[in-house]
Amino acid sequence: MGRIDSDELARDVQKLAEARVLCVGDVMLDRFVHGAVERVSPEAPIPVLRIYREAVMLGGAGNVVRNLVALGAKCTFVSVIGHDDGGTKLTDLVRELENVEAYLLRESNRPSTIKTRYMAAGQQLLRADHETNASLMVSTEVDVQRTALEAIDSCDAVILSDYGKGVLSDRSIEAVIARCRASRKPVVVDPKGDDFSRYRGATIVTPNCAELAKASGMAVEEESSIVIASRKIISEFGIESVLVTRSQDGMSLIDESNAEHVSVRAQEVFDVSGAGDTVVAAFAAAIAVGISPLSAVSLANVAAGIVVGKAGTAAVRGDDLVNALRSTDLDATDAKIASKPSAMEKIQHWREQSHRIGFTNGCFDLLHPGHVSLLRQARAACDRLIVGLNDDASVTLLKGKGRPIQNDRARARVLASLSSVDLVVVFSEETPVDLIRAFRPDLLVKGADYRLEEVVGSNLVRENGGDVMLVNVEPGYSTTNTIARISAS
């Protein structure tokens, strides 16, 4: 693919807030049961999981919706749930999302899809699925189709998120695609199964390599075979383009005459689950606001690179995308700079790995050996160290006119370049108490020039069972004194 300007793509991210996307498909409840394995069962040669935490989130088409709204888009969501506890929880989770108009149709005697993953030390031990792939009742199918068709006129693009659980019937898919073509609205299909004839006439389908191989009846092993198999799909089913998601290997965009291949941008691959949902959401939101397909693929590619660096099914936020796009050869450094929501996801992952999490904060204007010493001592007392960094406005409030000398982006990058720092989070408040309350660190660190009762957030940390540590301050160093000496010279 020809080089696309990252600054231009970053500006495109801002346009995603104007996108209006209809998503129709199979919603699921992803349930995670976390615990520790310390022994083998005396009843059978299986591990015993001692459970200490459970979490639930939207999966399937619900994860597509999560990604759409995280990117700033507005979404209309149509799906089917059961008259059960799972359906109630799904309704609650969707209701928590902003900018979503949801139509979750309930069907009697139909279980809501629930996928339960049992986890230990960040690894999946077992997955148990509670689901059906039976066809909808005729009355429910009619309601799904009618609701979707009525929503098309008020949307800029449509996603059909097909997980094969029965929500998307052949008749509903055909009707939605026909209406989209008549209205000149792009329809993006995340397909399921080996019969792509049911997606005939779609603007784009987004199979992974295994799905493409099944649908085309061809071996798919390298880029050339991906192109051949994709063009067979295009020719046979009147599909305009195929976007092949290739896990950590990237993706390929293919039409009748062009083929573009991109490598995924990821610092470290934790989990590829849900990456396809992220790609579909980012691509659809982009083309919904008139961004070119090539640029849309570039945005989706960067989003996929971010999400495979997170644990479990995850959503990519607009600020994550902008930060990644604006990084060049500072990728590893910039990856340590995170928004508060992104930091929360990283902290959760670290906790699942039983890491001891430390926190310190400051302005860190003109980093000096005293700062470096404090950070090194803090990191030695924990497994992961988070630094809360005052933004420019709060530094001016604390230090006075003319400060900071360096803006918060520059200060964050300098801090993130240190091996002793694992994460930098910029905050705008005068104190970091809101971050401390949200992050619940196991260790709070400040210099020994403070008294314990003066350390902001010390009571919160102690109430949560954490520790507060005052470390030795390297004598003779002060940013204020340094600036004064420079001004006097």
Side-chain angles (χ1 to χ4, degrees):
M1 177 181 289
R3 189 177 184 276
I4 296 178
D5 184 73
S6 292
D7 287 335
E8 183 179 341
L9 287 175
R11 289 191 293 272
D12 282 341
V13 174
Q14 311 307 319
K15 300 177 184 176
L16 301 184
E18 303 169 13
R20 300 172 302 167
V21 181
L22 167 63
C23 179
V24 188
D26 303 289
V27 66
M28 305 177 189
L29 185 67
D30 281 345
R31 179 169 171 255
F32 295 86
V33 181
H34 298 276
V37 175
E38 298 166 343
R39 62 192 178 96
V40 175
S41 171
E43 303 166 1
I46 55 174
V48 175
L49 182 68
R50 180 168 55 83
I51 296 170
Y52 57 75
R53 183 171 64 86
E54 296 188 19
V56 291
M57 63 181 64
L58 290 168
N63 191 41
V64 177
V65 174
R66 284 178 63 216
N67 276 274
L68 284 168
V69 297
L71 291 169
K74 297 177 179 63
C75 180
T76 301
F77 185 30
V78 181
S79 191
V80 178
I81 56 177
H83 280 286
D84 51 21
D85 290 341
T88 300
K89 187 59 182 176
L90 285 166
T91 301
D92 291 341
L93 289 172
V94 172
R95 189 178 291 125
E96 291 172 5
L97 298 175
E98 296 181 356
N99 296 323
V100 176
E101 183 178 355
Y103 299 90
L104 301 184
L105 309 177
R106 289 184 181 263
E107 183 172 278
S108 301
N109 301 319
R110 185 180 191 88
S112 300
T113 301
I114 304 174
K115 296 185 180 297
T116 304
R117 297 165 176 87
Y118 296 89
M119 313 287 294
Q123 300 296 317
Q124 192 173 148
L125 299 179
L126 175 70
R127 193 181 91 179
D129 293 354
H130 181 71
E131 62 182 15
T132 181
N133 59 1
S135 299
L136 298 177
M137 296 169 54
V138 173
S139 59
T140 309
E141 179 189 350
V142 169
D143 287 342
V144 168
Q145 186 179 135
R146 175 182 50 78
T147 305
L149 293 177
E150 289 176 353
I152 288 174
D153 288 343
S154 61
C155 294
D156 306 307
V158 176
I159 296 172
L160 298 180
S161 180
D162 191 357
Y163 275 82
K165 308 306 176 189
V167 171
L168 289 170
S169 68
D170 290 349
R171 286 184 293 268
S172 292
I173 292 171
E174 181 181 5
V176 169
I177 291 176
R179 177 67 62 85
C180 287
R181 289 178 71 88
S183 305
R184 298 182 181 275
K185 304 285 180 72
V187 54
V188 180
V189 180
D190 189 0
K192 188 71 173 179
D194 57 7
D195 181 11
F196 280 21
S197 65
R198 64 202 304 257
Y199 310 123
R200 187 180 300 278
T203 308
I204 190 162
V205 294
T206 64
N208 59 35
C209 286
E211 290 166 339
L212 177 62
K214 285 183 179 179
S216 65
M218 301 176 63
V220 174
E221 297 175 351
E222 65 285 313
E223 289 180 354
S224 60
S225 61
I226 288 173
V227 173
I228 294 170
S230 295
R231 286 182 175 155
K232 181 181 179 183
I233 296 296
I234 290 168
S235 174
E236 289 185 357
F237 306 123
I239 292 167
E240 293 182 20
S241 302
V242 177
L243 177 59
V244 186
T245 56
R246 298 158 51 202
S247 190
Q248 62 264 34
D249 293 325
M251 60 188 71
S252 300
L253 177 65
I254 297 136
D255 60 24
E256 287 182 325
S257 56
N258 298 295
E260 305 287 352
H261 307 282
V262 293
S263 299
V264 74
R265 292 174 54 177
Q267 286 76 42
E268 185 176 2
V269 176
F270 281 121
D271 192 341
V272 299
S273 62
D277 296 330
T278 301
V279 168
V280 169
F283 182 86
I287 63 173
V289 293
I291 295 171
S292 72
L294 287 182
S295 294
V297 169
S298 295
L299 286 174
N301 176 51
V302 177
I306 296 169
V307 81
V308 298
K310 300 183 179 185
T313 51
V316 174
R317 296 177 178 82
D319 56 353
D320 295 331
L321 203 48
V322 170
N323 286 339
L325 285 164
R326 287 183 172 158
S327 65
T328 54
D329 54 353
L330 295 172
D331 282 344
T333 294
D334 283 8
K336 292 183 180 181
I337 304 170
S339 62
K340 181 180 174 182
S342 295
M344 296 287 288
E345 291 180 356
K346 287 181 180 289
I347 292 167
Q348 178 179 326
H349 179 67
W350 290 340
R351 285 216 163 89
E352 289 165 2
Q353 296 180 316
S354 301
H355 289 317
R356 177 173 166 83
I357 298 167
F359 179 90
T360 190
N361 68 279
C363 301
F364 296 99
D365 198 10
L366 298 184
L367 196 73
H368 54 64
H371 293 141
V372 174
S373 175
L374 181 147
L375 295 170
R376 186 181 299 119
Q377 292 178 70
R379 184 59 168 79
C382 61
D383 299 310
R384 293 289 184 268
L385 178 63
I386 305 167
V387 177
L389 180 68
N390 289 84
D391 73 356
D392 295 342
S394 62
V395 173
T396 302
L397 184 64
L398 291 167
K399 301 293 185 180
K401 187 178 179 180
R403 297 287 298 276
I405 301 299
Q406 302 182 96
N407 63 36
D408 47 39
R409 183 65 182 174
R411 290 182 284 124
R413 281 183 164 176
V414 171
L415 284 169
S417 70
L418 301 177
S419 60
S420 55
V421 175
D422 296 287
L423 203 62
V424 180
V425 182
V426 179
F427 65 95
S428 58
E429 297 80 13
E430 187 174 353
T431 76
V433 67
D434 287 343
L435 290 185
I436 293 169
R437 183 177 290 110
F439 295 166
R440 296 185 296 109
D442 304 299
L443 177 69
L444 180 60
V445 181
K446 290 294 285 186
D449 49 340
Y450 282 82
R451 296 193 304 271
L452 280 175
E453 60 270 21
E454 296 175 331
V455 178
V456 172
S458 59
N459 57 326
L460 294 173
V461 174
R462 285 175 165 174
E463 287 171 5
N464 289 325
D467 301 312
V468 180
M469 183 175 77
L470 302 181
V471 302
N472 296 326
V473 178
E474 193 85 12
Y477 296 101
S478 163
T479 300
T480 301
N481 290 342
T482 299
I483 292 172
R485 289 196 298 271
I486 293 172
S487 299
S489 62

